[in-house]
Amino acid sequence: MFFYGLGIINSIKRRGVLHINLRYGKSSVRFTLPEHTQLQWLLYNSSADINEKNKIAHALACPIGTPSLREIARHRQNAIILISDRSRLCPSYLFLEALLQELNEAGLEDNQIKIMIALGMHRKQTTQEMIELVGISVWNRIDVFNHSSLQKDCVHVGITSRGTPIEINTQVVHADLRIATGNIEPHRLTGMSGGVKALVPGVASHKTIEANHALSQKHPSVPGEIMTPIRADLEEALQFVPIHFLFNLIVNQEREVLSAVAGDIIEAHRAGVRSASPHFFSSVKQTYDVVIASAGGFPKDMQLYQAIKTLQNAADFTKPNGSIVLIARCEEIFGNGLLQYWIETIQDRKEMVRMLEERFVLGPHKILHISTILQKHSVFLLSEVPKPLVELLGFEPIEDLQQILDQLVGSGNPEKTIAIMPNGALTFSPQL
């Protein structure tokens, strides 16, 4: 049996064993399981059936809750387009030409348009990465640059009702036309990604991002549920810095377009959420003794900061005292300097948790997620993270994947249940 487009390179039964390949960075890892293993595949609905250019064109031609982008752009002096960084699956290079055509036909010249990579607190992108994000033809036409979350590069524009200071990149605040883009998928902080997230946290200051994220300690969110205090706090920022037009995609791990929406920042996003939700929640409702989870390869396993999301998804499918095998290359190791500093210097995880409960700190807050999982499950990590750092995280480093799986799975014990998540970052439990 073979699977394609699911994050599984292949799976085949041969000589009494199952041979399985899962994605790992931009390559794959291979292992075997006994033929009679009680095995369940945990998959998401990744099928894409219509030409993606048609979906993009249709979304732009039929905006939700607004006139067309071309009409909105008429008589504007300049425009800024906010796009995702490479840690996201959003294929900005597929739709930027179409957005630029709308703006050009409205009278805006290329030199009146800028593209900002909405990094939030993620690392800045290199020149080559920026070219890959927008495509060479757009790169040669339009100024493309990284957002800076430094307070000196942002403008204070107001405070939300929940006390979040809203500080937005100066160039975004001063733009005459603001266009937000991105992709929509389940998100543990805001319920679903996309929409206003291009503005906050995308082009907000560190202070703003940390204040909003800190709300998660009092108001935990559920993937798929968007009517939450955290998202409401984000959307209040629109009162101070409106987004004039939204363009969001729903894509699979291969960046194939499943659907697209455009128009009003709230209405279009809500329509996109309705379209996205059926794709990412597994129909499987049980839990397992062992869950083998690949983040789905690049970019979902670039770093621990992102791979922890797959670990959380896998934990929702794992029995108490069960084991999780996380397959995530993490070539950039932690992906957050402050998280790395805490792990390397604060000796006791209980102390880290106590400190975070006392005062939320963006980056190290991931330790709370790790701690919650380790209270219930054992975690084995196959990655490029050095062994001592894996152990400091509280995980078991994997040097020989097959050996670990032989220990955990045994010879196919019919009472032991095993699940495989080939795209753990995009596969969510329906129990949440």
Side-chain angles (χ1 to χ4, degrees), residues 246-317:
L246 175 73
F247 186 86
N248 275 173
L249 297 177
I250 296 91
V251 300
N252 60 21
Q253 179 69 30
E254 287 69 41
R255 293 185 170 87
E256 295 170 330
V257 178
L258 306 177
S259 60
V261 292
D264 179 75
I265 185 71
I266 303 297
E267 289 185 51
H269 180 255
R270 299 296 190 266
V273 166
R274 291 191 291 273
S275 178
S277 292
H279 287 283
F280 300 108
F281 290 91
S282 171
S283 61
V284 177
K285 296 183 179 180
Q286 73 179 87
T287 54
Y288 301 86
D289 295 302
V290 179
V291 175
I292 305 166
S294 165
F298 178 88
K300 294 295 188 179
D301 71 350
M302 289 169 54
Q303 51 200 220
L304 277 164
Y305 198 84
Q306 297 300 326
I308 289 168
K309 298 174 183 178
T310 292
L311 183 60
Q312 291 175 283
N313 289 354
D316 289 330
F317 288 100

Side-chain angles (χ1 to χ4, degrees), residues 93 102 110 113 123 177 234 251 310 357 367 376 385:
Y93 49 83
E102 290 284 303
D110 285 353
I113 304 167
R123 72 159 174 83
L177 173 63
L234 294 178
V251 300
T310 292
E357 288 174 345
I367 294 165
K376 298 179 181 179
V385 179

Side-chain angles (χ1 to χ4, degrees), residues 398-415:
I398 297 177
E399 297 181 3
D400 185 326
L401 177 60
Q402 188 61 59
Q403 183 182 54
I404 291 295
L405 291 176
D406 289 345
Q407 292 173 8
L408 293 175
V409 178
S411 58
N413 181 346
E415 295 182 0

Side-chain angles (χ1 to χ4, degrees), residues 5 13 17 83 87 102 149 154 175 214 232 280 284 329 333 377 392 399 405-406 408:
K13 182 168 68 176
V17 295
I83 68 168
S87 71
E102 290 284 303
S149 61
C154 298
F280 300 108
V284 177
R329 185 180 174 193
I333 313 299
H377 313 296
L392 288 175
E399 297 181 3
L405 291 176
D406 289 345
L408 293 175

Side-chain angles (χ1 to χ4, degrees), residues 177-374:
L177 173 63
R178 290 178 286 273
I179 302 166
T181 72
N183 69 299
I184 302 174
E185 62 187 47
H187 191 275
R188 286 185 175 271
L189 187 72
T190 61
M192 299 290 277
S193 63
V196 72
K197 283 187 86 268
L199 181 71
V200 182
V203 291
S205 73
H206 175 279
K207 184 177 179 181
T208 295
I209 299 167
E210 187 165 77
N212 173 260
H213 280 45
L215 293 173
S216 63
Q217 292 187 301
K218 292 183 179 178
H219 307 286
S221 298
V222 174
E225 175 53 63
I226 60 171
M227 305 307 289
T228 66
I230 294 175
R231 178 167 285 278
D233 189 62
L234 294 178
E235 292 180 347
E236 273 193 57
L238 296 168
Q239 299 175 16
F240 309 111
V241 183
I243 292 294
H244 303 105
F245 194 81
L246 175 73
F247 186 86
N248 275 173
L249 297 177
I250 296 91
V251 300
N252 60 21
Q253 179 69 30
E254 287 69 41
R255 293 185 170 87
E256 295 170 330
V257 178
L258 306 177
S259 60
V261 292
D264 179 75
I265 185 71
I266 303 297
E267 289 185 51
H269 180 255
R270 299 296 190 266
V273 166
R274 291 191 291 273
S275 178
S277 292
H279 287 283
F280 300 108
F281 290 91
S282 171
S283 61
V284 177
K285 296 183 179 180
Q286 73 179 87
T287 54
Y288 301 86
D289 295 302
V290 179
V291 175
I292 305 166
S294 165
F298 178 88
K300 294 295 188 179
D301 71 350
M302 289 169 54
Q303 51 200 220
L304 277 164
Y305 198 84
Q306 297 300 326
I308 289 168
K309 298 174 183 178
T310 292
L311 183 60
Q312 291 175 283
N313 289 354
D316 289 330
F317 288 100
T318 308
K319 291 180 180 179
N321 301 315
S323 299
I324 302 169
V325 176
L326 177 61
I327 297 171
R329 185 180 174 193
C330 302
E331 67 266 30
E332 296 185 7
I333 313 299
F334 284 93
N336 181 278
L338 200 50
L339 172 62
Q340 180 174 351
Y341 175 76
W342 275 51
I343 292 294
E344 291 184 353
T345 61
I346 301 174
Q347 298 301 313
D348 187 274
R349 191 181 308 110
K350 289 182 180 179
E351 176 64 9
M352 297 185 215
V353 170
R354 186 196 65 76
M355 292 168 63
L356 287 165
E357 288 174 345
E358 208 170 79
R359 178 182 173 273
F360 182 92
V361 181
L362 189 65
H365 76 284
K366 294 284 187 177
I367 294 165
L368 293 172
H369 305 158
I370 293 171
S371 179
T372 298
I373 292 168
L374 289 176

